[in-house]
Amino acid sequence: MPRESLQPWFLRSPARFYVLLTILHAIPALLIFLFGVGYLKKRALETAQFQNRVSSVLIGQALQEVFNGLTKYAESFASRPELLQALESGDKESVVWQLNEMVKGNERISRVVVVNARGLLLYDAPEDLTVAGADYVDMIWFRQASTQAGTYLSPIYERTSRAGGTVIAIAAPIF
């Protein structure tokens, strides 16, 4: 029987020694690499979150400006003497023409409706016969515009007309 060497197993051959030495050097390098990757990932995530917050603020400000402009546009349109006179005289052709002009005058507006104090549709542009005489009394924009002073900006909701889609209503009372 061969006599066992008193040397540790890794010193019994140069190949074992060099493999062990390589492994011992690779482990700290691997740990440093993994730490570095984790750190870079964390920094990239923090940077992305910061950029998202900044973008959200900027988008919010831009949307606020858009809706402020649309609100002013709706308010000024609702107080137009020509519109008020046409509504008072019941001149449907003139009212519808002016409502169509409002839609044409601003690409962000897709539809305009005029409802009476009970929430019944009187006029709309573009005209949609599928909602003729519709009752809007349960719509949040009607309830809010009927009970508060000033113009009301609704939350996003599903459109009731055949055009479908989601919309935000700007309700400006006409006096």
Side-chain angles (χ1 to χ4, degrees):
M1 275 200 161
R3 188 169 167 238
E4 275 196 42
S5 169
L6 294 175
Q7 291 181 325
W9 65 270
F10 56 88
L11 290 177
R12 291 186 193 152
S13 85
R16 286 181 181 175
F17 176 73
Y18 290 120
V19 167
L20 181 63
L21 194 60
T22 303
I23 290 172
L24 290 175
H25 281 93
I27 289 174
L30 181 63
L31 290 174
I32 290 170
F33 172 77
L34 291 175
F35 174 77
V37 167
Y39 175 78
L40 291 176
K41 184 178 176 183
K42 180 181 174 190
R43 292 292 298 150
L45 183 62
E46 288 171 352
T47 300
Q49 288 171 337
F50 174 76
Q51 289 172 339
N52 286 343
R53 282 192 301 273
V54 169
S55 296
S56 296
V57 168
L58 294 175
I59 290 169
Q61 288 172 344
L63 285 173
Q64 186 65 45
E65 288 177 22
V66 167
F67 285 115
N68 284 344
L70 286 171
T71 299
K72 287 184 173 116
Y73 183 68
E75 288 171 349
S76 78
F77 202 86
S79 62
R80 272 179 122 174
E82 301 87 8
L83 177 64
L84 297 174
Q85 185 179 15
L87 286 168
E88 192 173 310
S89 67
D91 184 356
K92 179 180 178 175
E93 187 177 306
S94 178
V95 172
V96 171
W97 182 84
Q98 289 181 60
L99 296 180
N100 279 314
E101 288 300 306
M102 184 179 185
V103 173
K104 289 178 193 170
N106 193 315
E107 76 262 359
R108 290 187 172 102
I109 296 176
S110 63
R111 184 160 171 71
V112 180
V113 298
V114 175
V115 299
N116 65 16
R118 292 186 310 272
L120 298 176
L121 177 69
L122 299 176
Y123 308 100
D124 61 338
E127 193 169 22
D128 182 354
L129 297 176
T130 64
V131 293
D135 185 349
Y136 291 103
V137 75
D138 290 328
M139 298 299 289
I140 190 168
W141 57 263
F142 176 78
R143 289 194 315 263
Q144 292 296 324
S146 301
T147 58
Q148 71 181 27
T151 303
Y152 175 73
L153 185 65
S154 80
I156 297 173
Y157 68 93
E158 287 294 318
R159 179 178 279 178
T160 57
S161 71
R162 71 182 144 128
T166 55
V167 294
I168 296 174
I170 298 173
I174 298 175
F175 299 102

